[in-house]
Amino acid sequence: MKDFVFHNSTKLIFGKDKEQLVGQESVAYGKKLLLHYGGGSIKESGLYDRVVQSLHEQDIEVFELGGVKPNPRVSLVREGVSLCKEHNIDFILAVGGGSVIDSAKAIAAGAKYDGDVWDFFTGKSTVKDCLPIGVVLTIPAAGSESSDGTVITNEDGLYKRATGHITMRPKFAILNPVLTYTLPSYQTACGITDMMAHILERYFTNEKNVELTDRLCEAALKTIINNAHTVLEDPTNYDARAEIMWSGTIAHNDLLGTGRIGDWASHDIEHEISGIYDIAHGAGLAIVFPAWMKYVYKHDINRFAQFANRVWDVEIDLNNLEKTALAGIQKTEQFFSSIGMPVTLKEANIGEEHFEEMAKKGTERGPLGNFVKLYEDDLIQIFHLAK
Amino acid sequence: MKDFVFHNSTKLIFGKDKEQLVGQESVAYGKKLLLHYGGGSIKESGLYDRVVQSLHEQDIEVFELGGVKPNPRVSLVREGVSLCKEHNIDFILAVGGGSVIDSAKAIAAGAKYDGDVWDFFTGKSTVKDCLPIGVVLTIPAAGSESSDGTVITNEDGLYKRATGHITMRPKFAILNPVLTYTLPSYQTACGITDMMAHILERYFTNEKNVELTDRLCEAALKTIINNAHTVLEDPTNYDARAEIMWSGTIAHNDLLGTGRIGDWASHDIEHEISGIYDIAHGAGLAIVFPAWMKYVYKHDINRFAQFANRVWDVEIDLNNLEKTALAGIQKTEQFFSSIGMPVTLKEANIGEEHFEEMAKKGTERGPLGNFVKLYEDDLIQIFHLAK
């Protein structure tokens, strides 16, 4: 087990109607608030009205910036930064899913920085401080509601890049499973894939003697798998929605990564795909992860066999561990497919035309991954396995 | 799943030599520090010197109060409160195990209160604020290093009582598994029992649809069970010590109790025993828990069968779930016995002479437990099952 610091201070408020607490939770951080959100869905559902009412009850002055799109763009972030500086905003409230929260985090960092916010994503500068952020979560997926990282896309060159800092971690996150009832099936499935991917990235490590975190990862994966079809078939099932929502937060609040180094190549590879193609992050992960697994499993067949056995209930064949390992990979792929995800690039209408470009861009800052280091040619082979 | 708030802000610093960071972590909270500890073991091991040196390097003025005993006493807490008030202490550093941390928490609450600190334990007053606390953990067991509660014994009448408040949660806790190498086997086993008991108290709930927390509980229990004999047979095995230490914190940091109401009767019953008899908390729990299980299992045979299957690998006998449930209870009792714990009162040289007194005192503020409500007569029957 590696040394580590675990410090996740986000206050998680979980349950029905909890968005009514957003005003009293926010007011501790100031009276001038930027309300950040995506499209019109929160207005149609009435959530927007309830949030604004709760904020007004605390005499909070509300500034607004909507329009966040999936794979949030740096242009909107820059707009948010300007708004914050112009109006001396105290606090940013993100109402939405991972894209809105990530956009809010980038704004929060940019608001405390004199240069261009994209500097944080190129490595030209590092985040040192952020405006405080709060979250009302509507899409369980990214885990951004209690993580200290953000991923932003730069339209100029279609780069998708990540950065993070401890001050970026939301002060509070309100998680009401009822708010997820109206999510379309496809988006629900993308979220499920994303949270599973967050666990898988941590699960495949070279660190030995990480039994507790292995088992915690397996616990969360099994819970997600067991509840996935229920939420797709019965979208207003509170209990299943609650399991999925809570699992999505636990998947990415750092606990499952303590004492080990995760891989993260699949996320990076997916960022290259969704940086160019208009594909949801979860769908991209459903394509990349099985291909990545097929490419790297020989690096640690025991770990893949353990995964197959403990997560997918594949019986361990001691005389053929490779068979056990491969059965786990097959089950993973079949599961993603069963919840409506594409598992090949072809299913997502993505051809071979950018394989080399994506492989080149993806590795231009060095090889990807930690479980196995992947170079430009490895990425091309993984893209071919994902065809 | 019940609504909940999860907010655990303790910064956990885990790994070899991390006590060297105690000065720089403490100085953020002020320059006048009360160093609180137990007996001479931290002086013999050199830990005391390393801690004091790290504090002095940050120009922290160190006041001292040693002498904490297992089942920490309110008399020493009162002494600590006086010291804090007299010297305007900013910060309390607990170096030790659960008793030292609990004592420090009580001092931290008393230092911010005009009345007698025992008021918090009788219900006469409630904690509203505390001095900040930090921890260097030497005994993984109580989970007090990131919990918001404390248990103190009043010598006057031998009452053992609990209280808690969010401000009681330590600001940081330093967890170095190497510091646990010198723990005697018996104390190691007591710690293992205590952390397992913290999970079991949460596991036995009447709340339905708590799959994620069930599985997280099972993950932690299996990890503790798998590493227990290793640390007893090979006390300087870093990896096993690390699994046990990290599991002890996770067992009691509130995560495993989210969305459910735990039971806690066994802890309360044990407090009655160790309030009168000089028995370690863990040893008392090893006696009480199997007896409690035998007394209540019929209340939810399915849950006990799930426990037997998932934690102890007992095959589920669908035609005789009671047999499955009882096998899990037997395995629990055998396990405690196998690590050197007493599992009957007799083994701890405790007779029947105080059964009625303990049952009466234990229930004088109402029935115990939530899974099954236990009254005075129930406690007597449990004591008889534990004979």
Side-chain angles (χ1 to χ4, degrees):
Chain A
M1 196 189 295
K2 293 186 80 68
D3 294 354
F4 63 86
V5 174
F6 177 70
H7 190 200
N8 192 321
S9 53
T10 302
K11 180 179 182 181
L12 300 165
I13 304 163
F14 194 100
K16 288 189 178 119
D17 300 326
K18 297 300 183 207
E19 63 272 18
Q20 292 170 0
L21 300 174
V22 69
Q24 70 186 63
E25 292 294 331
S26 300
V27 75
Y29 303 96
K31 288 283 193 179
K32 293 177 94 169
L33 178 149
L34 179 68
L35 176 60
H36 198 40
Y37 56 94
S41 64
I42 65 162
K43 294 196 174 173
E44 286 160 29
S45 70
L47 175 61
Y48 173 90
D49 290 335
R50 294 202 298 283
V51 166
V52 169
Q53 189 190 334
S54 176
L55 296 170
H56 284 165
E57 280 167 7
Q58 301 292 332
D59 297 323
I60 294 170
E61 189 181 359
V62 179
F63 297 81
E64 279 194 35
L65 181 64
V68 182
K69 293 201 170 66
N71 302 319
R73 307 297 158 130
V74 72
S75 53
L76 191 72
V77 170
R78 289 184 179 124
E79 214 177 301
V81 170
S82 300
L83 265 172
C84 287
K85 289 180 175 173
E86 186 185 341
H87 298 289
N88 283 310
I89 295 290
D90 300 310
F91 186 70
I92 303 177
L93 179 67
V95 180
S99 297
V100 175
I101 304 167
D102 278 10
S103 185
K105 286 173 172 176
I107 294 170
K112 291 271 196 174
Y113 178 63
D114 287 335
D116 176 30
V117 66
W118 188 248
D119 291 352
F120 297 133
F121 297 85
T122 58
K124 189 179 162 191
S125 182
T126 54
V127 179
K128 282 172 202 75
D129 195 15
C130 288
L131 284 179
I133 304 166
V135 172
V136 177
L137 187 66
T138 62
I139 309 173
S144 190
E145 64 276 11
S146 84
S147 82
D148 59 6
T150 173
V151 180
I152 297 292
T153 296
N154 191 330
E155 306 93 308
D156 182 12
L158 291 176
Y159 283 91
K160 193 168 178 178
R161 292 282 179 264
T163 193
H165 188 254
I166 193 167
T167 60
M168 212 172 253
R169 211 183 282 284
K171 299 298 178 189
F172 66 83
I174 293 174
L175 290 80
N176 174 0
V178 175
L179 299 180
T180 72
Y181 284 1
T182 53
L183 278 180
S185 297
Y186 187 76
Q187 214 169 349
T188 297
C190 284
I192 286 167
T193 309
D194 194 12
M195 57 184 78
M196 286 177 69
H198 288 149
I199 306 173
L200 295 172
E201 296 282 19
R202 292 173 167 95
Y203 194 79
F204 292 101
T205 179
N206 294 316
E207 193 66 27
K208 302 296 175 198
N209 305 300
V210 282
E211 180 170 349
L212 179 61
T213 40
D214 270 4
R215 292 190 184 278
L216 295 174
C217 286
E218 291 153 4
L221 283 168
K222 278 190 93 88
T223 304
I224 297 165
I225 292 161
N226 283 348
N227 287 278
H229 287 105
T230 308
V231 295
L232 291 171
E233 286 154 23
D234 183 11
T236 62
N237 183 314
Y238 181 84
D239 295 312
R241 286 286 193 187
E243 296 286 357
I244 293 289
M245 194 169 211
W246 190 217
S247 296
T249 300
I250 297 301
H252 204 46
N253 81 339
D254 290 353
L255 176 69
L256 304 189
T258 52
R260 59 211 282 155
I261 293 177
D263 185 68
W264 300 101
S266 297
H267 264 74
D268 288 338
I269 295 170
E270 194 288 323
H271 290 169
E272 294 310 318
I273 299 174
S274 59
I276 290 182
Y277 298 96
D278 191 22
I279 182 173
H281 179 53
L285 287 166
I287 296 167
V288 172
F289 240 111
W292 174 84
M293 287 178 165
K294 290 171 197 168
Y295 191 70
V296 305
Y297 78 93
K298 286 185 180 162
H299 173 68
D300 189 348
I301 285 181
N302 282 12
R303 181 155 280 275
F304 272 91
Q306 174 184 299
F307 168 70
N309 174 253
R310 294 201 199 154
V311 175
W312 296 108
D313 296 319
V314 175
E315 197 168 46
I316 291 181
D317 184 343
L318 289 173
N319 297 313
N320 195 342
L321 284 177
E322 183 167 7
K323 188 181 128 199
T324 311
L326 286 170
I329 297 171
Q330 191 184 24
K331 290 249 187 190
T332 308
E333 185 169 348
Q334 285 169 347
F335 174 82
F336 289 148
S337 193
S338 77
I339 60 170
M341 288 287 99
V343 290
T344 62
L345 291 166
K346 192 175 171 196
E347 288 178 68
N349 298 313
I350 294 173
E352 298 184 33
E353 59 280 6
H354 293 294
F355 281 9
E356 289 182 15
E357 178 192 346
M358 293 190 294
K360 195 179 176 65
K361 266 168 76 176
T363 54
E364 72 185 10
R365 295 196 294 178
L368 301 184
N370 296 298
F371 185 65
V372 176
K373 291 267 175 219
L374 301 174
Y375 296 84
E376 190 174 335
D377 184 55
D378 299 309
L379 263 60
I380 289 173
Q381 291 191 60
I382 288 171
F383 289 133
H384 279 283
L385 280 169
K387 273 199 300 194
Chain B
M1 198 189 294
K2 293 187 79 69
D3 294 355
F4 63 86
V5 174
F6 176 70
H7 189 201
N8 192 322
S9 53
T10 303
K11 181 180 183 181
L12 299 166
I13 303 163
F14 194 101
K16 288 190 178 117
D17 299 326
K18 296 301 183 206
E19 63 272 19
Q20 293 171 0
L21 300 173
V22 69
Q24 71 187 63
E25 292 295 331
S26 299
V27 75
Y29 302 96
K31 288 281 193 181
K32 294 177 93 169
L33 179 147
L34 180 67
L35 176 58
H36 197 40
Y37 56 93
S41 64
I42 66 163
K43 294 196 175 172
E44 286 161 28
S45 70
L47 175 61
Y48 173 89
D49 290 335
R50 295 202 297 284
V51 166
V52 168
Q53 187 189 335
S54 176
L55 296 170
H56 283 165
E57 280 168 7
Q58 301 292 331
D59 298 322
I60 293 171
E61 189 181 359
V62 179
F63 298 80
E64 278 195 36
L65 182 63
V68 182
K69 294 201 169 65
N71 302 317
R73 308 293 156 132
V74 73
S75 53
L76 191 72
V77 169
R78 288 185 180 124
E79 214 178 303
V81 170
S82 298
L83 265 173
C84 287
K85 287 180 176 174
E86 185 185 342
H87 297 290
N88 282 311
I89 295 291
D90 300 312
F91 186 68
I92 303 177
L93 180 66
V95 180
S99 297
V100 175
I101 305 168
D102 279 10
S103 184
K105 286 173 172 176
I107 295 170
K112 291 270 196 176
Y113 178 62
D114 287 334
D116 176 31
V117 66
W118 188 248
D119 292 352
F120 297 134
F121 297 85
T122 58
K124 188 178 163 192
S125 184
T126 54
V127 180
K128 284 173 199 76
D129 196 13
C130 288
L131 285 179
I133 303 166
V135 173
V136 177
L137 188 66
T138 61
I139 309 173
S144 190
E145 65 276 11
S146 84
S147 82
D148 60 5
T150 174
V151 180
I152 298 293
T153 295
N154 191 330
E155 305 94 309
D156 183 11
L158 292 176
Y159 284 91
K160 193 166 177 179
R161 293 282 179 263
T163 192
H165 188 254
I166 192 167
T167 60
M168 212 171 256
R169 210 184 282 283
K171 298 299 178 190
F172 65 82
I174 293 175
L175 290 80
N176 175 0
V178 176
L179 300 180
T180 71
Y181 284 2
T182 53
L183 277 179
S185 297
Y186 187 75
Q187 213 170 350
T188 298
C190 284
I192 285 166
T193 309
D194 193 14
M195 57 184 77
M196 286 177 69
H198 288 150
I199 306 173
L200 295 172
E201 295 282 19
R202 292 173 168 95
Y203 194 78
F204 292 102
T205 180
N206 294 316
E207 192 66 27
K208 302 295 175 198
N209 305 299
V210 281
E211 180 171 349
L212 179 61
T213 40
D214 270 3
R215 291 189 184 279
L216 295 174
C217 287
E218 292 152 5
L221 284 169
K222 277 189 95 85
T223 304
I224 297 166
I225 293 161
N226 284 346
N227 287 279
H229 288 105
T230 309
V231 295
L232 291 171
E233 286 154 23
D234 182 11
T236 61
N237 183 314
Y238 182 84
D239 295 311
R241 287 284 192 187
E243 295 286 356
I244 293 290
M245 194 170 213
W246 190 216
S247 296
T249 300
I250 296 302
H252 204 47
N253 82 338
D254 290 353
L255 177 68
L256 304 190
T258 53
R260 60 210 285 154
I261 293 177
D263 185 68
W264 299 101
S266 299
H267 264 74
D268 288 337
I269 295 171
E270 194 289 322
H271 289 169
E272 293 312 317
I273 299 174
S274 59
I276 290 182
Y277 298 97
D278 191 22
I279 182 173
H281 179 54
L285 287 165
I287 296 167
V288 172
F289 238 112
W292 175 85
M293 287 178 164
K294 290 171 197 167
Y295 191 70
V296 304
Y297 77 92
K298 286 185 179 162
H299 174 69
D300 189 347
I301 286 181
N302 282 12
R303 179 155 283 274
F304 273 91
Q306 174 184 298
F307 167 69
N309 174 254
R310 294 200 198 155
V311 175
W312 296 109
D313 295 319
V314 175
E315 196 168 46
I316 290 180
D317 183 343
L318 288 173
N319 298 313
N320 195 342
L321 283 177
E322 185 167 5
K323 187 180 129 200
T324 312
L326 286 169
I329 297 171
Q330 191 184 24
K331 291 250 187 190
T332 307
E333 186 170 348
Q334 285 169 346
F335 175 80
F336 289 149
S337 192
S338 76
I339 61 171
M341 288 286 99
V343 292
T344 61
L345 291 166
K346 193 178 171 193
E347 288 178 67
N349 298 313
I350 295 174
E352 298 184 33
E353 59 279 6
H354 292 295
F355 280 10
E356 288 183 14
E357 178 193 344
M358 292 190 294
K360 195 177 175 66
K361 265 168 79 177
T363 54
E364 71 184 14
R365 295 196 295 179
L368 301 183
N370 296 297
F371 184 64
V372 176
K373 290 266 176 222
L374 301 175
Y375 296 84
E376 191 175 334
D377 183 55
D378 299 308
L379 263 61
I380 290 173
Q381 292 191 58
I382 289 171
F383 289 133
H384 279 282
L385 281 169
K387 274 199 295 195

